Amino acid sequence: MDVAVLDDAEAVGAHVAALVADAVARHPDLVLGVATGGTPLPAYRALARGSGDLSGVRLVALDEYVGLPPGHPASYAAYVEREVATPLGVPSAHVVVPQGSGAALERRIAALGGVDLQLLGIGRNGHLAFNEPGSQLDSRTRVVALSETTRRDNAAPFGVDPVPTHAVTQGIGTILEARHLVLLATGAAKAAAVAAALTGPVTPDCPASVVQTHRRLTVVLDAAAASGLDGWRLVGGPAAERVHHPQL
Ligand code: GLP
């Protein structure tokens, strides 16, 4: 596990953008798993400001709401197009977002040769993509019911519209097959979930805890999101501290 703790959300974005740009420089046809939500936005904006050619990258989304009309601005298909594909110059034909039961997504990922680099956010309740607490750790892409916490946390982009009750999400087993996981979290509201995910037991109660089992995990946090990591040793300068778990 490689953990970087940076000053703020902008610094997290710049760090993750550099990591992605470096991977694309080595593999112009990188299969990039994209997280949605607010956390990765600074990373996408920093990537868009960079000079690298990202037109060969393939984008795979983690999840999507069920039952929204096509093109709904709060849908993750619209998010990926608006916040990632268009600013990065990735053609729409290179974008895959789960739909329906999700079985087709598993086939598309297999046809792409798997996900090379997977960006991940984390829910306040420890959810990973839309794998809510209680999800099987070997689950595959499927339709799930959203918890009330998640529906409340995700309400803003829906305005007056009701937040969907269900979503289709890559399973935890599916996510773990990506070659490199990059978990991002910013803000104090994520501190408890981050601490549980990185230092607690690997358990369905905190789906994000499975990242501990991956052989290539990078965690990028701001200081507020890292504030629950008691007992971890900080090494390095204030702007780019590296954290090492005492047991690692
Ligand atoms: C959403 C998404 C997740 C995302 C998480 C955190 O429900 N399905 O993929 O990582 O919640 O979102 P945010 O970054 O806005 O806090």
Side-chain angles (χ1 to χ4, degrees):
M1 189 188 306
D2 181 15
V3 185
V5 181
L6 301 147
D7 288 342
D8 54 25
E10 282 307 307
V12 168
H15 188 87
V16 171
L19 206 142
V20 173
D22 183 58
V24 176
R26 282 179 285 114
H27 303 285
D29 58 351
L30 189 85
V31 180
L32 177 65
V34 283
T36 51
T39 310
L41 287 175
Y44 299 141
R45 289 177 189 147
L47 258 180
R49 286 192 299 270
S51 56
D53 176 9
L54 302 170
S55 61
V57 170
R58 278 79 54 80
L59 301 175
V60 181
L62 282 167
D63 44 16
E64 177 61 294
Y65 293 105
V66 169
L68 289 180
H72 191 291
S75 71
Y76 286 165
Y79 174 107
V80 174
E81 201 60 48
R82 182 179 65 237
E83 308 290 354
V84 195
T86 303
L88 270 48
V90 175
S92 301
H94 287 194
V95 179
V96 182
V97 178
Q99 275 183 321
S101 71
L105 183 81
E106 297 268 348
R107 289 194 295 272
R108 295 284 297 276
I109 292 174
L112 288 168
V115 172
D116 294 311
L117 195 159
Q118 178 65 59
L119 303 180
L120 293 168
I122 181 172
R124 279 194 307 130
N125 63 359
H127 75 230
L128 196 60
F130 272 136
N131 294 285
E132 297 281 24
S135 299
Q136 300 277 340
L137 299 185
D138 60 355
S139 51
R140 309 300 305 183
T141 306
R142 69 205 184 288
V143 172
V144 295
L146 298 177
S147 71
E148 283 312 310
T149 321
T150 298
R151 292 182 69 225
R152 252 195 323 273
D153 285 353
N154 291 7
F158 288 91
V160 293
D161 290 350
V163 181
T165 55
H166 289 76
V168 52
T169 183
Q170 285 190 34
I172 295 174
T174 318
I175 292 168
L176 286 175
E177 286 171 4
R179 292 179 190 90
H180 183 184
L181 301 183
V182 179
L183 179 71
L184 299 65
T186 54
K190 298 290 175 70
V194 166
L198 300 183
T199 66
V202 176
T203 164
D205 297 339
C206 178
S209 63
V210 294
V211 299
Q212 295 178 38
T213 68
H214 199 279
R215 66 192 164 81
R216 190 155 180 225
L217 170 67
T218 302
V219 182
V220 190
L221 307 171
D222 70 358
S227 60
L229 296 175
D230 291 342
W232 288 49
R233 188 161 52 89
L234 298 184
V235 185
E241 288 170 321
R242 299 184 84 72
V243 182
H244 294 287
H245 192 283
Q247 290 159 6
L248 294 179

